[in-house]
């Protein structure tokens, strides 16, 4: 039987699983969330993400998240909305139910970084306009051109890094990483 971060099995009944030290898992969730907050993520989305990541199924309902994290449905809703906008979780409907489950994918970091690539491309376009409007020979134009060159460099490095990651992931996990 697989269990999630709260010690529940991966099935629909939300029953209690065996073999998990719930206190240790809770400490991990809060510790990892604190690291994400330190890196700039909002606190509630960080806690939700850590809870989903630590669940064997990779999915939890709003009620399960609220119970696990001891927070209100509104807090879960706001946190999930942020994570969905960042492409870090997906909402899924349970077949035959109106309940939504929230899923963290095995490739969430890849998806999040890929989303950042699109942002970087937009920044590059804006910076090109800035260089043109400020003039490339002005102090501000040179500063803008250097910033543009940095983002172009980062964009190229991310693309190469993602290719290396796909190959490494295949080597380590044999393609698609599966949820248990």
């Amino acid at each position: 039987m697989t269990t999630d971060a709260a010690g529940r099995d991966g099935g629909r009944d939300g029953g209690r699983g065996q073999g998990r030290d719930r206190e240790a898992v809770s400490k991990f969730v809060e510790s990892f969330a604190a690291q994400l907050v330190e890196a700039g993520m909002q606190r509630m989305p960080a806690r939700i993400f850590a809870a989903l990541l630590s669940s064997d199924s990779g999915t939890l309902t709003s009620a399960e998240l609220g119970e696990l994290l001891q927070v209100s449905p509104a807090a879960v809703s706001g946190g999930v909305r942020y994570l969905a906008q960042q492409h870090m979780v997906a909402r899924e409907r349970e077949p035959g139910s109106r309940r939504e489950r929230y899923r963290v994918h095995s490739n969430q970091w890849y998806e999040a970084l890929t989303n950042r690539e699109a942002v970087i491309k937009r920044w590059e376009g804006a910076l090109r306009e800035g260089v043109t409007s400020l003039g490339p020979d002005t102090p501000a134009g040179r500063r803008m051109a250097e910033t543009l060159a940095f983002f172009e460099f980062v964009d190229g490095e991310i693309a190469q890094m993602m290719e290396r990651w796909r190959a490494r992931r295949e080597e380590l996990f044999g393609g698609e990483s599966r949820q248990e």
Side-chain angles (χ1 to χ4, degrees):
M1 172 185 346
T2 61
T3 56
D4 68 15
R8 289 184 280 275
D9 73 9
R12 291 175 188 247
D13 65 356
R16 301 287 173 196
Q18 303 297 318
R20 286 274 168 114
D21 180 343
R22 291 177 60 159
E23 186 174 328
V25 173
S26 181
K27 283 182 182 178
F28 163 76
V29 167
E30 296 303 326
S31 173
F32 187 57
Q35 294 298 314
L36 293 171
V37 168
E38 194 171 302
M41 187 182 283
Q42 298 170 10
R43 184 171 185 266
M44 187 52 57
R47 293 181 72 213
I48 291 168
F49 183 75
L52 286 167
L53 192 62
S54 65
S55 72
D56 281 347
S57 66
T59 66
L60 294 169
T61 65
S62 180
E64 290 167 337
L65 283 164
E67 178 185 336
L68 178 65
L69 301 173
Q70 297 295 293
V71 297
S72 71
V76 171
S77 178
V80 167
R81 185 178 324 106
Y82 172 86
L83 292 168
Q85 289 170 345
Q86 301 303 311
H87 305 282
M88 295 180 75
V89 301
R91 296 172 192 247
E92 300 175 347
R93 286 257 186 230
E94 287 187 359
S97 171
R98 292 183 1 190
R99 282 187 359 176
E100 283 188 331
R101 297 188 76 71
Y102 307 111
R103 173 178 299 281
V104 63
H105 295 287
S106 60
N107 62 350
Q108 73 276 352
W109 301 113
Y110 177 88
E111 293 295 327
L113 197 53
T114 299
N115 184 48
R116 294 292 184 256
E117 273 186 291
V119 171
I120 290 172
K121 288 286 190 200
R122 289 194 304 269
W123 289 351
E124 288 174 11
L127 289 165
R128 275 188 200 86
E129 288 179 25
V131 170
T132 300
S133 65
L134 294 167
D137 296 326
T138 66
R142 283 192 298 276
R143 191 170 44 253
M144 195 77 57
E146 183 177 344
T147 303
L148 171 59
F150 171 76
F151 282 114
E152 288 171 337
F153 174 79
V154 167
D155 188 39
E157 291 296 309
I158 288 173
Q160 292 174 23
M161 181 181 64
M162 297 311 267
E163 278 301 315
R164 289 191 311 272
W165 168 244
R166 283 189 285 274
R168 178 75 171 149
R169 184 177 186 214
E170 174 71 29
E171 178 185 308
L172 292 172
F173 302 105
E176 289 299 314
S177 181
R178 293 179 285 280
Q179 300 288 336
E180 297 286 319

